[in-house]
Amino acid sequence: MTKEEKQFIKKHGDLGAALLKQYRLEKAMEAMEDYYQGEFYSQEDFAKSFIRERADEMLPEESYLHYVLSRWCNWAHLGWELFVNDFKYVGVGNKIHVFSAF
């Protein structure tokens, strides 16, 4: 293991180590700097956060569509859909670390 890889793991902990198992150092650094979306419990958890954040930005809270999204959405399916093409994750422990596709 190189000095730079050790520094990357020191900075990012278990996530850094998991990324280096899958990617070269340069790609892992790029993923953390440019594509990291955060830590979540599941794809469903990420979908809720992702959609609700955007709905709050674009829709008045009292709108019917906002109500439908917040109460009737199939979050598990939407989470699966988001990870088909647009996002990927690295599992660490009982959580996932989400990246926009890179």
Side-chain angles (χ1 to χ4, degrees), residues 83-101:
F83 285 88
V84 169
N85 292 313
D86 299 322
F87 295 94
K88 54 175 74 174
Y89 70 88
V90 173
V92 177
N94 64 343
K95 295 186 179 177
I96 62 172
H97 294 266
V98 178
F99 299 85
S100 50

Side-chain angles (χ1 to χ4, degrees), residues 12-25:
H12 299 291
D14 291 340
L15 174 56
L19 282 170
L20 288 177
K21 286 181 181 178
Q22 297 182 33
Y23 304 102
R24 295 182 334 272
L25 176 61

Side-chain angles (χ1 to χ4, degrees), residues 7-98:
Q7 289 174 335
F8 184 78
I9 292 172
K10 184 177 181 181
K11 182 176 181 180
H12 299 291
D14 291 340
L15 174 56
L19 282 170
L20 288 177
K21 286 181 181 178
Q22 297 182 33
Y23 304 102
R24 295 182 334 272
L25 176 61
E26 295 77 21
K27 191 73 167 174
M29 290 172 64
E30 178 186 357
M32 287 304 299
E33 292 170 8
D34 298 335
Y35 301 102
Y36 188 63
Q37 301 294 309
E39 176 183 73
F40 301 89
Y41 287 103
S42 64
Q43 291 180 353
E44 181 178 341
D45 184 37
F46 172 71
K48 287 178 185 177
S49 173
F50 181 79
I51 297 300
R52 285 183 175 157
E53 181 179 298
R54 277 135 192 92
D56 288 346
E57 291 172 5
M58 296 184 296
L59 301 170
E61 196 167 317
E62 62 277 356
S63 76
Y64 180 71
L65 186 54
H66 193 281
Y67 172 80
V68 168
L69 280 174
S70 65
R71 298 208 173 31
W72 298 46
C73 186
N74 181 338
W75 296 112
H77 181 75
L78 183 56
W80 178 83
E81 286 284 342
L82 288 171
F83 285 88
V84 169
N85 292 313
D86 299 322
F87 295 94
K88 54 175 74 174
Y89 70 88
V90 173
V92 177
N94 64 343
K95 295 186 179 177
I96 62 172
H97 294 266
V98 178

